[in-house]
Amino acid sequence: MSTAARAPRIIRLEPIEPSIHFRPIRKSVHAACFAIFVALPFFDVMRFDIPRQRFYFAGQALWINEFAIIFFALMFLMFVIAGAAMLYGRIYCGYMCPQMIFSEASTSVQRALERFVERKLVFVRGAARHRVAAALWLLVVAAASVGLAFIFISYFVEPRDLLRRLLRVDVSTAAGVAGAATTLVTFLDFAFVRQRFCTTVCPYGYLQGMLADEGTLLVKYDDPDRICIECGKCVRVCEMGIDIRDSPDQIECIHCGDCVDACADIMGRLGRRGLIHYASGRQGAKRLVFIFVLLFYASGLAVAMSMRQPVLVKIAPDRSRLFWVEQGEIRNHFRMTLANRTTENAFVTLSIDGLNGARLVAADNPIRLAGGQEWRGEFAIAAPPTLGAGINPFRLVTRTDPGGAEDRLSMTFVMPTSQEGR
Ligand code: SF4
Ligand code: SF4
């Protein structure tokens, strides 16, 4: 048996390239979400116009009194968000939440500026360089805050109107004050608070904790063979400052997947698969109920939208005076409210059906309504004295153009009951 010392055996490791990197996907989703965040108010996809009291949804201008549609739309959106929390945990936070998108952007800009100043001001002392980088970064955050606040307030005030106010530096009206306050809050948020907001006051984080079940998607550390090399990269890359190895149920975890990428890279170099993964359990029964509720609100919204009248016509008899006699005719008085919920001109024409010899006494017929106009008015119906005494049912026909939609409203015409009243 040879006694010569044996050379240490070198084990050659075949690196494994991770099959997927979540960070680039996440950054693409961030860009898409930012575009949607900007587009929603500018193209009236979703916007609450407070000065005009309109709720813009899917390009339709809903009036505040169209309560059913607004209710179903808000409930549907609320359940979509809650459903996403149940199925995918805090993945919304990591991939789609504006707070996270802008917090990460703020951190990235800060680091990029520090590197830039480090490179360009080599002749300046370290502390001064640091101060220059910090001042530049605060300037960038301040400028970005004006833009972000503008987009946010656009959800409540018409964007062109808001731009005019911004150019006039209007801080006297409610919209101006709201814009200035939002700019300040946005600046403080993305300069100093950033991800701390997610771990302290964010209501979605708490909601997610309540909605999660055994099927909710998680980021999980799984190391049954105890091969973790304790490199700590998963902790260093975590923007939320946690160690996912402690537990997959930490409320701070926003399921961004950065630690999944980090571990896959490190362990891949050693020829092993990463130890951190996205994982979800079996489907809980709770989510079936949830899908039914979501379908209920989606159907309610679809029905309410399909029943929507572009031009609202409301007519009611004025019974403060049952009838009166004028020019040998008996007259009844009616009040009318019209609301053109479209952006185009509309015409409403009234006619009488089932009241022999009666005629309409109105200042205008058809009535012209500009887009978005609300109109209140009155008219009378005059009937010959030969009409039957007492209550005469008839129909008031309203025709709306363009479109030619007709509505037949059941009404009554009151005639005097005695010959003396005529
Ligand atoms: S633990 Fe991982 S998934 Fe969770 S926030 Fe940190 S980096 Fe993202
Ligand atoms: S990155 Fe992976 S190997 Fe490194 S400490 Fe984290 S879990 Fe362990």
Side-chain angles (χ1 to χ4, degrees):
M1 196 171 161
S2 163
T3 54
R6 260 197 251 160
R9 199 158 66 96
I10 295 170
I11 302 170
R12 296 206 179 278
L13 301 169
E14 280 302 320
I16 298 178
E17 185 61 30
S19 56
I20 185 164
H21 280 102
F22 292 101
R23 191 170 175 84
I25 296 175
R26 201 158 69 85
K27 290 298 164 190
S28 305
V29 176
H30 280 187
C33 286
F34 179 66
I36 293 169
F37 174 63
V38 175
L40 286 183
F42 286 88
F43 295 102
D44 287 339
V45 181
M46 199 175 76
R47 185 163 73 77
F48 223 132
D49 196 319
I50 291 175
R52 295 197 178 102
Q53 301 203 336
R54 300 281 187 279
F55 179 59
Y56 289 88
F57 183 71
Q60 303 275 335
L62 305 176
W63 291 45
I64 292 299
N65 55 13
E66 294 185 86
F67 179 73
I69 300 178
I70 296 174
F71 170 78
F72 280 115
L74 293 180
M75 291 306 284
F76 178 73
L77 287 175
M78 198 186 86
F79 270 84
V80 165
I81 291 171
M86 184 184 287
L87 290 171
Y88 302 112
R90 290 192 79 177
I91 211 149
Y92 163 79
C93 306
Y95 284 73
M96 288 178 239
C97 176
Q99 173 70 25
M100 183 54 61
I101 293 173
F102 301 128
S103 295
E104 283 194 10
S106 165
T107 308
S108 302
V109 170
Q110 186 179 17
R111 287 175 188 156
L113 282 172
E114 279 168 359
R115 284 195 300 272
F116 175 77
V117 171
E118 197 81 24
R119 263 200 330 271
K120 298 288 174 189
L121 303 185
V122 279
F123 49 87
V124 179
R125 280 189 304 115
R129 273 207 306 262
H130 185 72
R131 280 197 292 277
V132 170
L136 280 176
W137 169 66
L138 287 176
L139 271 178
V140 172
V141 177
S145 298
V146 175
L148 293 178
F150 181 84
I151 297 167
F152 180 73
I153 300 289
S154 293
Y155 278 80
F156 305 100
V157 178
E158 206 278 319
R160 281 176 295 266
D161 181 21
L162 189 62
L163 183 62
R164 280 193 291 273
R165 290 166 194 252
L166 181 66
L167 294 177
R168 286 203 311 266
V169 196
D170 166 16
V171 283
S172 56
T173 61
V177 172
T182 308
T183 304
L184 179 65
V185 170
T186 307
F187 173 76
L188 294 175
D189 184 7
F190 297 120
F192 305 108
V193 181
R194 293 188 274 193
Q195 282 94 340
R196 276 187 283 274
F197 177 89
C198 317
T199 54
T200 50
V201 290
C202 176
Y204 187 80
Y206 293 106
L207 178 78
Q208 205 281 321
M210 285 186 279
L211 287 172
D213 64 10
E214 63 273 24
T216 303
L217 192 75
L218 285 173
V219 171
K220 206 170 169 190
Y221 167 69
D222 195 13
D223 184 17
D225 301 328
R226 297 187 178 283
I227 55 169
C228 170
I229 57 167
E230 303 292 342
C231 66
K233 190 170 180 189
C234 53
V235 180
R236 284 197 304 281
V237 296
C238 179
E239 300 272 5
M240 305 307 290
I242 58 170
D243 186 343
I244 194 63
R245 293 172 299 172
D246 293 342
S247 161
D249 299 317
Q250 296 171 75
I251 193 165
E252 296 90 346
C253 179
I254 53 159
H255 301 162
C256 66
D258 282 1
C259 55
V260 179
D261 286 349
C263 190
D265 279 342
I266 289 287
M267 295 305 286
R269 285 183 227 162
L270 303 174
R272 309 298 291 251
R273 299 268 169 219
L275 307 174
I276 307 173
H277 312 275
Y278 279 109
S280 58
R282 63 185 173 79
Q283 304 280 300
K286 196 161 65 172
R287 64 192 54 201
L288 268 180
V289 178
F290 206 85
I291 289 168
F292 278 119
V293 176
L294 199 61
L295 284 176
F296 169 75
Y297 283 117
S299 325
L301 180 59
V303 170
M305 289 291 275
S306 68
M307 288 171 63
R308 180 171 192 258
Q309 293 173 292
V311 177
L312 179 77
V313 180
K314 275 188 188 169
I315 299 175
D318 173 10
R319 296 301 185 210
S320 58
R321 186 158 60 142
L322 290 178
F323 61 86
W324 78 96
V325 182
E326 193 172 327
Q327 296 172 355
E329 294 170 311
I330 311 298
R331 294 191 178 191
N332 278 200
H333 187 229
F334 293 81
R335 293 190 190 284
M336 174 165 58
T337 303
L338 305 176
N340 181 3
R341 293 159 165 170
T342 70
T343 52
E344 310 293 329
N345 287 339
F347 297 88
V348 177
T349 312
L350 302 178
S351 57
I352 301 164
D353 179 28
L355 205 58
N356 280 341
R359 66 185 180 91
L360 207 74
V361 184
D364 292 309
N365 192 28
I367 300 153
R368 180 182 176 277
L369 293 167
Q373 185 186 353
E374 194 168 23
W375 184 89
R376 286 172 207 278
E378 51 192 15
F379 62 90
I381 291 179
T386 49
L387 199 68
I391 298 169
N392 293 269
F394 72 102
R395 289 188 186 272
L396 202 54
V397 183
T398 66
R399 179 190 160 91
T400 306
D401 289 294
E406 276 196 0
D407 209 359
R408 304 173 74 78
L409 308 168
S410 295
M411 296 280 158
T412 52
F413 188 89
V414 180
M415 290 289 284
T417 50
S418 68
Q419 203 58 37
E420 297 86 72
R422 305 190 178 200

